[in-house]
Amino acid sequence: MSNSGYCSLIIKGDNLDLDLIAETLKITVSEKRKKGEIINSIIGEIQYDFIRFDEKMDGKYNPDKTLTGLLNKLMANEAFLKKLSEDACIYINCYVQSDYAQIDYVLSSKTLNKISQLGIDLEISILSWGGVEDKKEKKRKKGKKRHKKGN
């Protein structure tokens, strides 16, 4: 399985005008909730206003490309986001899910500069299911099959 995931802009705080944020950023809203809204019976009510914009990773997994795509959408609203950050918590979450035990990727300096320019924090979440194929074991099994066929 290849890696999958998304990069999301998350904004949370008190007394946020979620509609104004969505209209200003001109990005499709993935989720928005007002303080006090019941999320579900286990989590209960949300403690702050919340809005999230997801950029899903397409095709062959490339978090830098996905993150750059999201940042490019935000760059036109740099002043708005900086002003909003005075009263709200704003950050980007990049979530990666993989069947591999070890994964790595590179964020380009251009991408990191855009994050810095916007003054937005970056959170990286990785869920690895830890699957590893032991090549030696695989070779042993193939060798045994060949040996048995020869007898």
Side-chain angles (χ1 to χ4, degrees), residues 27-126:
I27 303 173
T28 303
V29 175
S30 301
E31 181 180 12
K32 69 178 179 177
R33 298 186 182 271
K34 290 301 283 178
K35 183 177 181 175
E37 187 178 330
I38 302 295
I39 297 172
N40 60 40
S41 60
I42 296 170
I43 296 173
E45 66 181 50
I46 193 162
Q47 301 300 310
Y48 40 77
D49 298 332
F50 172 89
I51 190 165
R52 188 183 78 235
F53 306 87
D54 295 337
E55 186 83 12
K56 189 171 178 9
M57 294 174 197
D58 294 325
K60 187 164 175 106
Y61 176 71
N62 185 342
D64 189 67
K65 182 179 177 185
T66 304
L67 184 54
T68 297
L70 177 59
L71 292 168
N72 287 341
K73 292 177 182 180
L74 300 176
M75 293 307 290
N77 294 296
E78 179 181 350
F80 175 78
L81 290 169
K82 285 186 176 179
K83 178 71 176 151
L84 185 60
S85 70
E86 294 172 6
D87 299 315
C89 174
I90 303 175
Y91 62 99
I92 291 177
N93 174 267
C94 283
Y95 170 78
V96 180
Q97 181 173 316
S98 173
D99 278 347
Y100 305 122
Q102 182 176 346
I103 59 174
D104 62 79
Y105 54 90
V106 174
L107 296 178
S108 70
S109 58
K110 289 180 183 180
T111 300
L112 295 172
N113 282 332
K114 286 180 183 181
I115 293 169
S116 180
Q117 184 178 337
L118 289 169
I120 295 175
D121 289 336
L122 175 64
E123 175 181 270
I124 298 174
S125 302
I126 299 172

